[in-house]
Amino acid sequence: MSARVVGGQLAAQFAPRVRLNEPLARHTSWHVGGPADVFFSPRDRADLIAFLRALPEGVPLLWLGLGSNLLVRDGGIRGVVISTRDALCALERRGDREVYAEAGVPCALIARQCGKWNLGPAEFFAGIPGTVGGALAMNAGAFGGETWRQVAGVETIDRAGEIHARRAGEYQTGYRSVTAPAAEEWFLAALLHFDGASTADATRALLEKRRQTQPIGEWSCGSVFTNPPGDHAARLIEAAGLKGLRIGGAVVSTKHANFILNEGRATARDIESLIAHVQEVVARAQGMTLHPEVRIVGEAA
Ligand SMILES: Cc1cc2nc3c(=O)[nH]c(=O)nc-3n(C[C@H](O)[C@H](O)[C@H](O)COP(=O)(O)OP(=O)(O)OC[C@H]3O[C@@H](n4cnc5c(N)ncnc54)[C@H](O)[C@@H]3O)c2cc1C
């Protein structure tokens, strides 16, 4: 059964937390993306479980944090989008060295709170403008730190609304890659382990360094491509002469060549075309294949 067919029923049952044809440009840091058939912001865990149980089998499901690593195409999402933003926001200290964080907690808050608790290394979370759920899915990392290095275990939820407790060792993780032990399980929370300290001063210094080298505050998804082994995508793009290159309203940043900016009127199609063009030119000029770090989802318009 399609999400469009069940949308009305879900909207009636879960009003006002279900919105139909919700433009995803409102929920992504590139500020592009067509509508989701059904967009759900759960009130809490019980609400989320009830929603999953009400969802007919086979309806496609996409989880969304802060949309800071997602290119949603202009035709939008045929299916259901579950947003953890402003939901699943518990953040608690557990014992001496552990922190329990639900999927909707912004990574920046982890850095801030761990600074107050003097637990680290957690400064790197300040550089990731997404949620804990997104950071777990991406194995997000910054300033030499990486999400899964700090994970002791996670709680996940499946389509049937069943909750699972999993150890970190059940996941295979690498540079911006995570292989889960089961398909169709999504992150509800993580238990993070810290064996050192972190300070607000160290976090501020790292953020200042970032401000000097990256176009922070502009509409982007951070680094578009992963770094190839032993090299940097930004160096390859700059060496190919692509800084400042533009398609429609999308432009390769002149400050950091691995960032593509929406200058205000870009479509997802502009951005995707620019991604493909950069890949093509770098492959021709340098013989290197660049792989997108950003996840590209949805239908073309
Ligand atoms: C200015 C800027 C700088 C950035 N710098 C960095 C950086 O230094 N390092 C870095 O790693 N990233 C960086 N990013 C990218 C991005 O912030 C990270 O990838 C982040 O982890 C994405 O989190 P999110 O909540 O926004 O996820 P989203 O973009 O909403 O989703 C990303 C993926 O995670 C999945 N997902 C989201 N929540 C869940 C969940 N609960 N369970 C299962 N899957 C889920 C989504 O389905 C999607 O596939 C940057 C982005 C920007 C805009």
Side-chain angles (χ1 to χ4, degrees):
M1 203 185 295
S2 84
R4 277 191 170 140
V5 173
V6 297
Q9 210 175 305
L10 292 168
Q13 194 178 343
F14 293 91
R17 281 125 32 233
V18 164
R19 278 174 267 170
L20 304 182
N21 296 316
E22 173 71 6
L24 291 177
R26 292 183 189 155
H27 303 277
T28 59
S29 59
W30 252 325
H31 296 257
V32 299
D37 291 340
V38 176
F39 184 92
F40 178 56
S41 307
R43 190 173 39 213
D44 52 28
R45 230 174 237 232
D47 197 35
L48 173 62
I49 292 169
F51 180 86
L52 287 168
R53 293 197 172 144
L55 201 61
E57 234 175 87
V59 174
L61 207 52
L62 175 78
W63 283 59
L64 180 72
L66 288 171
S68 64
N69 208 45
L70 267 187
L71 178 58
V72 180
R73 294 194 177 98
D74 302 307
I77 302 286
R78 298 295 70 75
V80 169
V81 171
I82 295 183
S83 167
T84 60
R85 179 183 208 142
D86 302 326
L88 306 178
C89 287
L91 176 61
E92 295 158 13
R93 187 160 182 180
R94 297 263 168 102
D96 269 3
R97 304 252 128 236
E98 286 180 340
V99 169
Y100 175 83
E102 283 193 315
V105 172
C107 293
L109 187 56
I110 300 219
R112 212 159 45 241
Q113 195 55 50
C114 284
K116 290 182 190 156
W117 287 329
N118 202 23
L119 290 175
E123 295 93 333
F124 72 94
F125 279 117
I128 301 165
T131 59
V132 166
L136 289 167
M138 299 301 308
N139 195 15
F143 314 126
E146 208 173 61
T147 302
W148 276 85
R149 270 186 230 147
Q150 309 308 140
V151 175
V154 291
E155 281 173 0
T156 63
I157 191 163
D158 63 23
R159 275 192 88 95
E162 296 297 324
I163 293 176
H164 306 262
R166 294 198 175 275
R167 285 171 291 107
E170 295 180 66
Y171 291 79
Q172 280 174 23
T173 61
Y175 167 56
R176 304 293 178 271
S177 106
V178 179
T179 308
E184 301 236 292
E185 266 182 37
W186 297 277
F187 298 110
L188 278 184
L191 187 64
L192 303 170
H193 178 84
F194 297 101
D195 46 22
S198 68
T199 66
D201 280 354
T203 305
R204 262 194 301 277
L206 292 174
L207 288 177
E208 182 49 37
K209 195 169 143 201
R210 160 167 295 226
R211 258 189 296 277
Q212 284 165 13
T213 54
Q214 297 181 3
I216 301 304
E218 300 198 52
W219 290 356
S220 82
C221 252
S223 291
V224 172
F225 300 102
T226 52
N227 289 319
D231 210 334
H232 286 96
R235 192 198 69 76
L236 292 164
I237 298 166
E238 185 167 355
L242 294 172
K243 269 187 163 180
L245 183 80
R246 164 187 315 276
I247 293 183
V251 61
V252 176
S253 164
T254 50
K255 194 164 184 184
H256 190 302
N258 199 14
F259 279 52
I260 288 180
L261 308 178
N262 172 5
E263 291 192 316
R265 57 184 177 88
T267 60
R269 186 162 174 221
D270 293 340
I271 295 171
E272 198 173 0
S273 303
L274 194 51
I275 290 173
H277 186 76
V278 168
Q279 283 175 307
E280 208 180 293
V281 175
V282 168
R284 216 178 322 119
Q286 269 113 350
M288 295 289 278
T289 306
L290 291 179
H291 299 285
E293 174 181 323
V294 294
R295 304 244 173 118
I296 303 175
V297 295
E299 286 186 349

